[in-house]
Amino acid sequence: MSIPTEPIGSLPRPHALVQAYNDHAQGRLSEAELARVQDDAVASTLSRLAELGSPVLVDGDQRKPSSLTYPLTGLAGLGTDGAVIPFADGHTRQLPVLTGGPFRYQVRADTYLRAARTRTDLPVKQAVVAPSALSLLYPAGGIAGYSREAFLADLADEAEAEIRGCLDAGAHRVQLDFTEGRLSLKLDPSGALLDDFVALNNNVLGRFTADEQARIGVHTDPGADQDSTHSLDVEYTELLPRLFQLTVGNFYLALSGEPDRERVLKTAAAYLPSGARVFVGVTDPIDPRVETREEVRDRVLEAARHIPLDQLGTCDDAGFAPFADDTSTSRDTAFAKIEVRLRGTELAAQDLGL
């Protein structure tokens, strides 16, 4: 397509997979049986995206328990009283806390990617958790014999290995999920926590060549879980100048759900690095209404008034179900929104003469 367009990552799991996760957690389903249901869900996801004409596919995170904690699956040395993320509707998500070291990923996303690529010849994108999110696992009181500095060094090495594994496995793009970026400004309005996050992520990203960085992107949003956000009340314009310091070639910005898109676009245009592309969100996963293709077209044209066309792309605001138990959006609604993103982007390209 003349204007690149990509999905973000997670998609609602089929009912059979949601039930399989529940049964597995209760000991009623084996690992092998769960894997079979996951395989079916991945095959269905890839097939439906291809049928819609999506130029880039994702596996929809069908094998991830969540887009945040998947590397921890099976990890010993975790406590249950980690950081709590409050959402606007009153529900919360709580992270585990690390109780010992050294820290190692138990699952890396390149395993998901390799499995997905056996089922399609089309480009496949892989979302990974940003190291800044996993840095929240370290307890404020420290760990005896395992300093925070040692943990962060281990974390950076693990994150690099995961990203490199995805690039080596042929990822069209590797996308770091950085939802904690905007949230950090709510937790620490001074911006010091955000600066720490950017520095940690850049420590990892700086280990890649310019050509590799061109295949890496960062996605940010104000949260999208159970049709609610965690930091929509934080001024986006306070995040963007620091966000664009990340050394990647692609940025994915939740935008359609913003109350003042023009202001966000003006700030993005001012700070977007030359040579980088910004994918603007044109569909809102937490809005149950399916946008029209004309609405999407108009949102793309709005963005094109601020972003150079050779640096513009489109995406969904966020993944549709970052946690496996999130059933707030139906699978059919998610694919309907993806279809209008594709068709609306095509309409905008026609209007722009591309």
Side-chain angles (χ1 to χ4, degrees):
M1 297 180 67
S2 52
I3 298 177
T5 187
E6 297 180 8
I8 288 300
S10 63
L11 284 160
R13 283 71 171 172
H15 174 74
L17 180 53
V18 174
Q19 186 62 51
Y21 275 121
N22 290 335
D23 289 344
H24 180 262
Q26 297 298 319
R28 297 190 297 265
L29 196 71
S30 69
E31 287 284 348
E33 290 169 321
L34 174 61
R36 178 185 58 77
V37 182
Q38 290 172 324
D39 288 344
D40 290 344
V42 168
S44 171
T45 299
L46 295 171
S47 176
R48 291 187 69 169
L49 287 171
E51 288 170 2
L52 292 177
S54 182
V56 176
L57 309 187
V58 292
D59 74 354
D61 288 350
Q62 305 296 287
R63 290 186 173 89
K64 290 181 181 178
S66 87
S67 59
L68 176 59
T69 61
Y70 68 88
L72 312 179
T73 304
L75 178 65
L78 288 176
T80 59
D81 54 344
V84 176
I85 303 172
F87 286 79
D89 66 352
H91 88 275
T92 62
R93 294 285 185 177
Q94 186 168 23
L95 299 178
V97 63
L98 199 65
T99 59
F103 176 70
R104 299 289 184 268
Y105 283 21
Q106 303 302 293
V107 178
R108 289 179 178 163
D110 60 287
T111 60
Y112 306 134
L113 175 65
R114 293 177 193 276
R117 293 197 69 228
T118 65
R119 294 183 173 274
T120 181
D121 293 327
L122 293 172
V124 181
K125 171 183 177 177
Q126 183 59 56
V128 303
V129 61
S132 52
L134 294 181
S135 71
L136 297 171
L137 297 174
Y138 195 83
I143 299 173
Y146 190 51
S147 67
R148 180 173 179 81
E149 291 72 22
F151 162 71
L152 291 178
D154 286 341
L155 172 59
D157 289 345
E158 292 295 298
E160 177 194 358
E162 179 177 55
I163 297 169
R164 197 170 297 285
C166 291
L167 292 174
D168 291 345
H172 167 75
R173 197 94 64 207
V174 181
Q175 172 194 289
L176 276 68
D177 288 330
F178 189 47
T179 187
E180 69 278 7
R182 194 162 172 180
L183 178 62
S184 72
L185 289 169
K186 191 169 188 174
L187 300 174
D188 176 14
S190 75
L193 179 58
L194 176 57
D195 287 340
D196 288 344
F197 282 172
V198 170
L200 174 59
N201 291 337
N202 270 342
N203 174 19
V204 175
L205 295 167
R207 304 177 184 191
F208 295 90
T209 67
D211 287 344
E212 290 169 333
Q213 289 172 353
R215 294 171 57 197
I216 302 173
V218 171
H219 167 247
T220 191
D221 64 20
D225 179 45
Q226 298 182 11
D227 285 348
S228 188
T229 63
H230 55 52
S231 54
L232 187 61
D233 53 337
V234 173
E235 280 290 338
Y236 218 159
T237 52
E238 295 181 21
L239 168 66
L240 294 180
R242 293 179 174 100
L243 178 77
F244 287 125
Q245 293 173 12
L246 291 168
T247 51
V248 295
N250 306 274
F251 297 90
Y252 302 85
L253 302 185
L255 184 62
S256 65
E258 289 297 313
D260 189 350
R261 292 194 299 270
E262 286 278 354
R263 184 181 182 191
V264 175
L265 286 166
K266 289 177 181 178
T267 305
Y271 289 94
L272 179 64
S274 61
R277 187 179 298 275
V278 59
F279 291 77
V280 297
V282 292
T283 57
D284 185 356
I286 68 174
D287 183 351
R289 185 184 66 87
V290 177
E291 297 86 348
T292 68
R293 60 187 64 189
E294 289 78 19
E295 284 178 292
V296 170
R297 174 201 61 198
D298 292 346
R299 290 172 182 176
V300 180
L301 295 177
E302 177 184 53
R305 292 196 291 270
H306 301 277
I307 308 297
L309 292 180
D310 62 351
Q311 292 181 273
L312 179 63
T314 67
C315 61
D316 309 300
D317 270 8
F320 290 88
F323 296 87
D325 63 357
D326 183 0
T327 58
S328 58
T329 300
S330 75
R331 197 164 164 85
D332 286 343
T333 295
F335 281 107
K337 284 176 172 280
I338 288 171
E339 182 173 18
V340 298
R341 169 173 52 79
L342 296 170
R343 304 291 87 82
T345 300
E346 290 172 347
L347 289 178
Q350 293 169 11
D351 284 3
L352 291 167
L354 299 176

